[in-house]
Amino acid sequence: MKYLLIFFLVFNSLQALGQLNIIPQPVKAEIKQGNFIIKENTGISISGEELRPSLNFIQEYLKKFYGFSLKEQSGNTEGIQLILHSKNKGAESYTINSGNNRFIIEAGDAAGIFYGIQTLIQLLPPKKSSTLTIPLVTIEDYPRFKYRGLHLDVSRHFFPVDFIKKYIDYLALHKMNSFHWHLTDDQGWRIEIKKYPKLTSVGAYRNGTITGRFPGTGNDNIRHGGFYTQDEIKEVVAYAADRYIQIIPEIEMPGHASAALASYPQLGCTGGPYEVQQTFGVFEDVFCAGNELVFEFLQNVIDEIIPLFPSKYIHIGGDECPKTRWKQCPRCQKRIKDNSLKDEYELQSYFIQRMEKYINNKGKTIIGWDEILEGGLAPNAVVMSWRGEEGGITAAKSGHYAIMTPTSHVYLDYSQTRNEDSLTIGGYITTEKTYSYEPVPEQLTEAESKYILGAQGNVWTEYIKNPAKVEYQIFPRATALSEVLWSKKEDRNWESFKNRLMVQFDRYKLWNASFSLAIFDLKDEIIPNKDSTGLLWKLEKPVNEGRILFKRGNGNFIPYTMPVELKESDSLTATLEINGSPSTLLKRTFHIHKASGKKLYLSSPPSPYYTGKNGAYGLVDGILSEKGRSSDEWLGWYGMDVRILIDLGRQSEISSVIAHLLGMESDHIYFPDFMEVEFSDDGKNFTAGGKTSEVDVQSFHMGLMGISFSPIATRYIRISFKNPGIIPADKPGAGNKSWLFIDEILIE
Ligand SMILES: [Zn+2]
């Protein structure tokens, strides 16, 4: 947000090249000679009253952003004509034909007309003006996926009705049709349930929120909360319906239930007391699966939810439900026994299937996070695959529908720039990464791939406290996702999208919406020099325009012409200069040591999920993560030891070996039990060099583990790390394997 705004490709120059700047890219679009002019009192007509929402939408858009309205007229003579036509087939499809004095949108259904209106909006110049000139076009268009969605978590932080409507408009403007409203969680219950007033009088408020990233550095002690009345919900649902958007409410069960338990403690296994949580993560207190009162409660809640939301789907969560309480609860254990269930996972399955049956009987289908696959999938459930794609693949292969929302590509709460500019939950997903997402996994046959309904961007709000930050997190990644979901797979092209995005940046400004300019971040690579005796810093422009500048320390920027040689530890900064102004800054602090750029070998490759930015070589690339987990430097090994062999190339004198490690227990990442160092001159016969289990813990859950010794001459150094193995019962992630994370081995 602090970036200097630079726009070097202007709308008119692009159109002069005969390029249309429509996002998402239409199936077929042709630009013709001539223009169509839209100004005050340009006529608009509809072929029937069912098209009024489309007419209202364009009228409100023009009024709000350009300051004028169209004149509604009847008959098809001139101006903008919206026509339902039986010749148009295919749900949500439309065609546009324009001439000097007419602009005709035709479709077989009202939603198609609405998407034609969105395309018209994309053709408008993104600068306020009283006369809007748009090129003449012929367009034929329809969506690739049926389900095109965005999610918003209003529990971790509450967002008012006005912003929810704005968010729905953002979906509409991107031809998306599903809004997943995450209404209940540990940190707040956000929907009025008349039968249980304490859900909102107690459950909608917490007495503080942690400061900093979980587990936090303190508490702000500020009461936070809010909820939507049923009248407000109806108003929002109607608003969305006018934009052809279904709202899918999420009522979390059996986990993420703290706010409900704080309101009605008898619904938990222990009876409480419970509180609306002030911190984040996963909590052990969940709905008791052995108590009939819980099912009665949830069924009554569902009975009030169903009439409010016309969508055929109800999301019931089902994720991150620890089994600790159920294991100790006599009622839960009795339920397991009475129903001949194998364990607590089957008890979770019993819980979900029982609720599914109830919801199915009311004519609705459930959606659940991919954990609902554990212990047997409910028969008609739709799976939302978030922990990678496996959930979606398993669902599709067993004939269940799936919606893809993997953390790898579409978690829009993750950082989108390496130089994180404000606190986020961590992770690192660039706009290009989101754009590269393919919702249909390769492993599926053509028949199976029909079960992939589409995909959705998720916006969890632990670290998103206000509307501007929501916008900043979703733009431009939601815009990239809209093209993934709407446009034909073979038409997707990052270079083309990037060019069209320049105009969309101006449109965000027109909307007065916040957005990230991280796509101007320079790309860099640290490579060994040609004889592996040192490091080079190679920089690459993300766009064609501009030139790269760099500086050492506090020096002056100078033009970059070739990879920069790194001879000693130093901080370097690079930027992309466009039209004489620098854009985003790329800062790197290099730690140059005796192993920098040297050859190395791993006993086993890291997990494909954590390969580090530079692969194995990243362990000697001179870069140490400065912000913990959010860095892409880490190499991670799951449940296994690792041994690293470094070849210094020739005998060299050394006196210390230090590893830079991550120990973030909440994410199941643990420091190694110990590290052991050995030396060799031939790479075959080794002598012991020392062993340590001490960690010097530093900021962001990082730490240094290492040994010092009297100077010794050696060519090879072998370092072994002992993975702590299965996580013990009293630690986060108990029962799972430990991750081992390393990003640099420093040798002096
Ligand atoms: Zn229980």
Side-chain angles (χ1 to χ4, degrees), residues 24 114 272 321 325 451 549 569 684 687 694:
F114 187 74
C321 180
R325 295 288 181 262
Y451 288 100
L549 302 177
S569 296
K684 290 179 190 118
T687 54
E694 275 172 47

Side-chain angles (χ1 to χ4, degrees), residues 269 288-290 326 329 331-332:
C269 289
C288 176
W326 291 357
C329 170
R331 276 188 290 213
C332 286

Side-chain angles (χ1 to χ4, degrees), residues 19-162:
Q19 182 181 337
L20 290 167
N21 297 300
I22 302 165
I23 300 175
Q25 183 80 57
V27 173
K28 254 192 220 167
E30 242 177 79
I31 195 161
K32 301 191 287 190
Q33 282 294 323
N35 294 311
F36 179 76
I37 311 275
I38 299 176
K39 53 185 196 222
E40 176 91 49
N41 290 331
T42 293
I44 183 166
S45 65
I46 49 177
S47 66
E49 271 311 300
E50 63 272 43
L51 301 185
R52 187 152 300 278
S54 291
L55 184 144
N56 288 344
F57 192 89
I58 185 70
Q59 287 287 44
E60 283 162 27
Y61 188 89
L62 289 170
K63 187 86 203 153
K64 190 166 173 191
F65 299 116
Y66 297 93
F68 67 84
S69 324
L70 307 171
K71 188 176 74 189
E72 191 178 343
Q73 60 188 25
S74 52
N76 299 334
T77 51
E78 308 203 313
I80 300 165
Q81 299 165 24
L82 312 184
I83 305 167
L84 271 191
H85 211 298
S86 57
K87 73 168 190 216
N88 291 74
K89 294 194 174 61
E92 304 184 307
S93 73
Y94 69 94
T95 56
I96 294 178
N97 280 292
S98 52
N100 287 335
N101 47 20
R102 63 186 64 197
F103 188 98
I104 302 167
I105 304 175
E106 289 173 294
D109 62 14
I113 295 288
F114 187 74
Y115 297 129
I117 288 290
Q118 303 317 316
T119 296
L120 168 60
I121 285 172
Q122 286 278 309
L123 290 168
L124 300 174
K127 295 261 157 59
K128 189 170 175 172
S129 168
S130 57
T131 306
L132 305 174
T133 305
I134 64 175
L136 297 186
V137 290
T138 308
I139 291 174
E140 242 185 88
D141 202 11
Y142 52 86
R144 179 175 170 207
F145 289 103
K146 250 190 237 172
Y147 187 102
R148 306 180 301 277
L150 280 184
H151 148 287
L152 185 66
D153 164 16
V154 295
S155 175
R156 274 54 179 266
H157 282 96
F158 177 71
F159 293 87
V161 166
D162 278 354

Side-chain angles (χ1 to χ4, degrees), residues 600 602 604-607 609-621 631-637 642 644 660 662 669 739-744:
L600 84 170
L602 303 177
S604 36
S607 150
Y609 297 107
Y610 301 101
T611 57
K613 186 166 178 272
N614 290 322
Y617 167 70
L619 294 173
V620 290
D621 68 356
S631 155
D632 56 359
E633 291 296 322
W634 300 105
L635 277 74
W637 287 268
V642 64
I644 298 160
H660 192 240
L662 186 69
I669 305 164
W739 282 96
L740 175 61
F741 269 44
I742 313 173
D743 76 343
E744 189 80 3

